[in-house]
Amino acid sequence: MGRKSLGRTWNVGTHGRNRNSELLVKPILTIMGTPQQVFADAALYLSLYLIGNTALFLYMQFTSIFRAFGDPSFQMKGMILTAIFNAILDPVFIRMYGLAGA
């Protein structure tokens, strides 16, 4: 469904998504007992989720580091900037890639 259009237009993170797909996603979905009817869509979603989860981890680490510097306003500005960036990019990715971009 959205997989074909996503594969044609989204080249960023392709290699990481394939490695996640081969190493983590299929065994996790199999253990969870994912039905075959939704397996392909679930694998695509979970592989994108794992990439996003890595970005979230890095974001949280950097905010903790900035907070430890002792200047909370610097950390606050960074959080506001990333929240605005996220609010702008979410609708763009949803329009471009469908729900897989969310």
Side-chain angles (χ1 to χ4, degrees), residues 29-30 32-43:
L29 292 175
T30 303
M32 290 175 53
T34 305
Q36 289 298 322
Q37 295 88 351
V38 296
F39 197 88
D41 290 331

Side-chain angles (χ1 to χ4, degrees), residues 10-74:
W10 193 6
N11 294 323
V12 178
T14 301
H15 299 301
R17 193 172 64 233
N18 288 340
R19 270 187 250 122
N20 285 339
S21 234
E22 293 172 10
L23 298 177
L24 297 173
V25 172
K26 291 178 183 177
I28 289 172
L29 292 175
T30 303
I31 290 170
M32 290 175 53
T34 305
Q36 289 298 322
Q37 295 88 351
V38 296
F39 197 88
D41 290 331
L44 174 64
Y45 175 80
L46 188 56
S47 63
L48 292 172
Y49 177 82
L50 290 174
I51 292 170
N53 200 21
T54 303
L56 179 65
F57 173 77
L58 291 172
Y59 166 74
M60 294 181 79
Q61 289 296 319
F62 282 119
T63 57
S64 298
I65 291 169
F66 292 148
R67 193 176 307 126
F69 283 145
D71 184 12
S73 65
F74 181 70

Side-chain angles (χ1 to χ4, degrees), residues 84-98:
I84 292 169
F85 190 63
N86 186 31
I88 293 170
L89 285 182
D90 273 351
V92 171
F93 285 145
I94 290 171
R95 284 185 191 263
M96 288 172 56
Y97 306 121

